[in-house]
Amino acid sequence: MHINSRKRQSKKGADNVFAGLVFCGECGWTLCTANCKKQAKYLRCNKYSVRGKTACSLHFTPFKLLYGVVLLRLQYWLLEVHQNQDKILDRLLQSGERQRETERKHYEKEIQRATKRKKDVDRLFVKTYEDFACGRLDEENYEMLRTKYRNEQIQLADQISQYEEKLTDTKATEENVRKWIDLISKYSEINELTAPLLNELIDKIVVHEKRIDTDGKPTIDIEIYYRFVGRID
Ligand SMILES: [Zn+2]
């Protein structure tokens, strides 16, 4: 018997195979299902549903559309894994690599920025004490500044360690790619989406608000983050 500990429990989402997997690209909340006029099931931003249009936008996503997109991508990767066994490992390492490189640069920049600010704050902290010691600053202002800088120091140190952790996560290994290949290889074919299948292969799906393409067509950007390998093209 297959036991999937990652399976999300949700009574409301019982008929939604994507329950707990789909997130709003703008606010980060989940997308939940809703029905319009009985027939067409769709997903919408939960924050929008709960807090209204000032909190986020609708993120109207037809269930069938999301289902189709995800099914096609999984079928595509399954075929690739079965047909190009010798090349797929390198391809997956490279494919995810572009995305991870962008992420890495972003985190490195953030670490640099926070480190620089932390050094400045450290200096200001010392200077505040010197100013107080030689009477250029009264006690009340000294206490106020001291607290302010101390809080910022803690906040920055926190940020730095968080970014460093994320930076480590972007270093995909061959081992991770193999894990994902093993997971998907178990299937000889994928003809329908089920919650256990999705939870086994996919970490999360991010859906962005509809935008108008350069040629005037409405487009919904859907990003699929697979387990172990992240976003692959
Ligand atoms: Zn949202």
Side-chain angles (χ1 to χ4, degrees):
M1 200 182 99
H2 179 69
I3 296 166
N4 194 338
S5 58
R6 297 177 77 250
K7 191 175 171 181
R8 273 77 168 178
Q9 301 293 326
S10 167
K11 266 186 194 164
K12 230 177 127 188
D15 57 342
N16 174 17
V17 291
F18 297 109
L21 274 181
V22 190
F23 296 89
C24 172
E26 274 59 53
C27 74
W29 281 40
T30 50
L31 255 62
C32 56
T33 47
N35 289 299
C36 49
K37 290 176 197 156
K38 283 181 191 170
Q39 341 94 6
K41 187 157 62 167
Y42 71 97
L43 287 95
R44 64 180 177 196
C45 171
N46 204 18
K47 192 172 187 180
Y48 172 90
S49 310
V50 175
R51 296 201 183 155
K53 60 183 177 186
T54 51
C56 199
S57 57
L58 179 59
H59 288 76
F60 177 86
T61 313
F63 185 84
K64 271 188 181 165
L65 173 89
L66 182 67
Y67 191 100
V69 167
V70 175
L71 182 61
L72 267 180
R73 285 320 281 167
L74 287 178
Q75 285 172 337
Y76 168 80
W77 282 115
L78 182 64
L79 197 69
E80 287 295 299
V81 166
H82 284 313
Q83 287 190 340
N84 301 313
Q85 274 172 346
D86 48 335
K87 290 187 202 135
I88 194 72
L89 185 79
D90 280 344
R91 201 179 138 207
L92 281 177
L93 276 168
Q94 278 165 15
S95 177
E97 191 51 28
R98 254 170 296 160
Q99 167 72 19
R100 286 190 293 270
E101 178 66 29
T102 315
E103 282 173 21
R104 256 202 299 281
K105 277 186 187 148
H106 168 72
Y107 293 134
E108 277 165 0
K109 226 166 121 184
E110 287 301 318
I111 290 170
Q112 252 179 25
R113 186 193 55 78
T115 309
K116 188 179 169 293
R117 177 64 192 159
K118 193 171 172 297
K119 271 185 190 160
D120 289 345
V121 175
D122 288 346
R123 260 199 303 275
L124 285 166
F125 194 79
V126 174
K127 190 176 174 299
T128 309
Y129 176 73
E130 285 168 1
D131 285 352
F132 170 65
C134 61
R136 282 194 293 263
L137 200 63
D138 64 29
E139 194 167 348
E140 197 185 333
N141 280 318
Y142 168 63
E143 282 303 333
M144 193 190 74
L145 285 170
R146 207 175 75 106
T147 311
K148 175 177 172 273
Y149 291 141
R150 189 75 204 112
N151 287 341
E152 200 178 342
Q153 278 174 328
I154 295 167
Q155 216 175 36
L156 286 164
D158 222 43
Q159 270 179 13
I160 292 168
S161 71
Q162 273 176 29
Y163 287 134
E164 276 169 348
E165 215 171 278
K166 284 182 175 168
L167 190 65
T168 319
D169 287 346
T170 62
K171 281 162 192 149
T173 58
E174 209 176 298
E175 195 194 331
N176 279 344
V177 174
R178 279 189 202 283
K179 275 188 203 163
W180 191 74
I181 293 176
D182 285 348
L183 283 180
I184 196 166
S185 308
K186 284 193 303 193
Y187 298 90
S188 52
E189 52 183 8
I190 297 174
N191 295 317
E192 58 164 357
L193 300 180
T194 62
L197 169 89
L198 290 170
N199 281 285
E200 188 168 33
L201 297 173
I202 292 173
D203 240 345
K204 63 171 178 177
I205 299 164
V206 176
V207 176
H208 290 273
E209 182 56 270
K210 180 178 70 195
R211 63 178 171 82
I212 303 301
D213 226 342
T214 39
D215 52 5
K217 278 193 208 136
T219 306
I220 298 175
D221 289 321
I222 296 171
E223 299 166 355
I224 304 173
Y225 292 79
Y226 300 90
R227 284 185 71 201
F228 304 115
V229 290
R231 214 175 132 199
I232 43 180
D233 303 322

